[in-house]
Amino acid sequence: MKLEKLRGLMKENGIDYYVIPTDDFHASEYVGAYFETRSWISGFTGSAGTLLVGQDFAGLWTDGRYFLQASLQLEGTGIDLMKMGVEGVPTLNQYLTEHLTEGMTLGFDGRCLSASFMEELQTSLKDTKIQVVYEKDLVGEIWEDRPALSKKPAWFLEDENCGASFTEKLAVVRDEMKKKGAEALLLTSLDDIAWLFNMRGDDIAYNPVVLSFCVIKENEVRLFVQKGSLNAEQEMKLAAAEVLLDGYLNVYDYMKTLDVKSIWVNDQKTSYALMENIPENVCVIKGMTPVAYTKCVKNAKEQENMRNVHIKDGVA
């Protein structure tokens, strides 16, 4: 029933194949209830997998950890299990490359599909002219009781417990930006943002993160976060650190008006929609962000905290 409703919307929008990944807007490994579109429409509840729906085919790609679970949960759904890594089973990219022909249309919610995935697919398709529709959340249109986007209260750790303040971390990041020749930096990974701001939250179960985006320039830091996630005192704290607050979903329109010559992004963690919204005259520098590799090197306080938490975990 769900598949048929989706296929009906695909016909209305002229879409031949529609991709439904596991990801949220941040390419997170685990996602909140709002983003469980693949699970809702397929019935497969594993943490990894991508669903592809066509008018005459539906397949779910997942890895060996979930073959048994997926075969049981997909039974009777009309969705084929595509066992990743098994001989004779094409990858999702290979399947699309073989079945997308001239003039066909591929659709997906571009906020939930990484830019790197589409870059790889477009390279495989080479000169095959297909249409891409990335601004349609078709599953959202038929998911009537879809959970709301989480906006649970955020909290901030004391600087003394982190070994470095937001200001100190920001200075290091800006220094790396200068070395890279980047006038702006886009942060999309929730753990990167949590680390930079010493901020934590409950927007994803068992992952202490806050749904947010961040853009850093030489003289500006803009944090995109849901209204209600921060209280007045926290907003004042960020204002004192010269951080501009903006609406969580305003990041897409903001990227369209980007007024810099270059921006540093991690295309593995940045959605296709965000990349497409970057003006053509802005040079995009791709690669792991300075936050991602700076936070890997633990300062003395972080090392102490890690030792203590392992002791507590071992006791538990």
Side-chain angles (χ1 to χ4, degrees):
M1 187 66 171
K2 294 175 183 177
L3 271 183
E4 293 313 308
K5 285 184 177 179
L6 176 61
R7 285 172 169 146
L9 282 178
M10 289 168 59
K11 276 187 177 180
E12 289 177 21
N13 290 276
I15 295 172
D16 296 289
Y17 284 100
Y18 193 78
V19 180
I20 306 172
T22 300
D23 291 354
D24 58 9
F25 299 159
H26 310 272
S28 302
E29 182 176 2
Y30 301 98
V31 301
Y34 174 87
F35 298 101
E36 294 177 348
T37 51
R38 185 223 67 215
S39 175
W40 180 80
I41 202 163
S42 69
F44 170 62
T45 59
S47 67
T50 303
L51 178 64
L52 176 68
V53 178
Q55 291 300 331
D56 302 312
F57 168 82
L60 184 134
W61 276 257
T62 192
D63 60 69
R65 295 172 297 168
Y66 295 111
F67 288 171
L68 179 58
Q69 177 183 342
S71 64
L72 293 172
Q73 292 182 325
L74 294 178
E75 189 174 349
T77 64
I79 300 172
D80 295 337
L81 172 58
M82 308 296 284
K83 297 181 177 180
M84 295 169 61
V86 172
E87 187 176 354
V89 178
T91 65
L92 176 59
N93 191 307
Q94 289 169 339
Y95 186 93
L96 286 171
T97 301
E98 181 179 344
H99 290 84
L100 280 174
T101 56
E102 197 91 8
M104 295 183 78
T105 299
L106 177 68
F108 51 89
D109 182 350
R111 300 170 300 175
C112 295
L113 204 66
S114 72
S116 60
F117 173 87
M118 278 306 296
E119 184 176 348
E120 181 182 343
L121 178 60
Q122 288 167 335
T123 299
S124 299
L125 290 170
K126 295 180 181 176
D127 299 325
T128 305
K129 293 180 180 178
I130 67 163
Q131 301 295 317
V132 172
V133 175
Y134 70 91
E135 295 177 318
K136 296 287 185 180
D137 177 12
L138 296 186
V139 179
E141 293 185 33
I142 60 176
W143 190 354
E144 296 179 358
D145 58 347
R146 185 177 190 172
L149 272 170
S150 176
K151 52 177 178 181
K152 293 186 177 179
W155 69 92
F156 289 83
L157 303 175
E158 295 295 331
D159 293 345
E160 62 190 44
N161 291 325
C162 300
S165 67
F166 160 70
T167 303
E168 292 170 324
K169 292 177 178 180
L170 180 62
V172 173
V173 170
R174 280 181 166 149
D175 186 51
E176 293 299 317
M177 289 169 60
K178 286 181 181 178
K179 294 177 184 177
K180 198 80 167 180
E183 291 188 5
L185 170 68
L186 171 64
L187 296 179
T188 59
S189 294
L190 300 181
D191 52 312
D192 285 359
I193 298 171
W195 177 86
L196 177 64
F197 286 89
N198 292 335
M199 177 176 67
R200 301 293 186 267
D202 281 319
D203 284 332
I204 301 177
Y206 312 114
N207 292 261
V209 293
V210 179
L211 291 178
S212 53
F213 296 96
C214 180
V215 176
I216 299 172
K217 299 180 183 177
E218 183 179 357
N219 298 308
E220 179 183 303
V221 177
R222 187 175 294 263
L223 178 64
F224 300 84
V225 66
Q226 291 206 88
K227 187 175 182 180
S229 293
L230 302 173
N231 60 36
E233 183 181 347
Q234 293 166 337
E235 290 181 354
M236 288 176 61
K237 177 180 179 178
L238 290 169
E242 300 184 342
V243 175
L244 300 176
L245 293 177
D246 209 333
Y248 175 55
L249 298 178
N250 290 348
V251 65
Y252 300 97
D253 286 335
Y254 177 84
M255 295 305 291
K256 294 176 182 177
T257 63
L258 204 60
D259 58 348
V260 296
K261 294 180 180 177
S262 57
I263 185 168
W264 189 348
V265 304
N266 181 352
D267 59 327
Q268 302 284 333
K269 293 288 187 176
T270 300
S271 71
Y272 182 76
L274 276 178
M275 289 288 281
E276 284 295 293
N277 284 5
I278 297 175
E280 291 185 3
N281 63 330
V282 177
C283 174
V284 177
I285 302 169
K286 298 177 182 178
M288 190 167 70
T289 69
V291 174
Y293 57 74
T294 301
K295 71 178 171 60
C296 291
V297 182
K298 306 303 180 185
N299 60 44
K301 186 61 182 179
E302 288 171 327
Q303 291 180 42
E304 178 188 339
N305 291 341
M306 290 186 71
R307 293 188 187 100
N308 289 337
V309 80
H310 276 290
I311 291 171
K312 292 179 180 179
D313 178 67
V315 171

